Amino acid sequence: MQEYTVIKKGLSIQPCINIPEEFKDIDLEIKIRPLLSGGNVRKKLESLFKINEDVNPFEMIQDIEKWQQELRDEWQ
């Protein structure tokens, strides 16, 4: 993959990119390269669901409210 490096003053790129105030008067290194495509995520998910139609990952959950609360408590 090709990558290009450009050195520009902060003020010259500010109209395109929101940069911190302290970057405006200094040289900035900017790297440019193609964005790698993650592919079509929707098609991948549809394929996974189709392959695993008989799988119910939530079948063992007896009390949905309790399960949700436990998940929330993990993040506190």
Side-chain angles (χ1 to χ4, degrees):
M1 172 179 20
Q2 288 184 318
E3 181 176 280
Y4 298 93
T5 301
V6 179
I7 307 295
K8 298 287 283 181
K9 285 276 187 217
L11 280 174
S12 68
I13 64 165
Q14 190 183 17
C16 302
I17 302 171
N18 188 16
I19 60 171
E21 193 69 33
E22 62 268 18
F23 286 7
K24 289 183 180 176
D25 293 321
I26 60 174
D27 287 340
L28 302 174
E29 180 180 71
I30 304 165
K31 294 197 179 276
I32 301 170
R33 65 174 182 256
L35 181 63
L36 297 177
S37 171
N40 189 330
V41 175
R42 181 186 177 106
K43 284 186 180 184
K44 288 179 184 178
L45 284 172
E46 286 174 352
S47 173
L48 284 172
F49 287 133
K50 192 171 190 168
I51 292 169
N52 297 292
E53 281 180 324
D54 58 332
V55 176
N56 181 357
F58 305 107
E59 68 186 333
M60 295 181 69
I61 300 171
Q62 295 175 1
D63 184 345
I64 189 74
E65 290 177 5
K66 181 180 176 184
W67 175 75
Q68 289 176 343
Q69 187 62 48
E70 289 171 356
L71 286 176
R72 289 187 198 108
D73 291 344
E74 287 179 13
W75 294 96
Q76 292 180 3

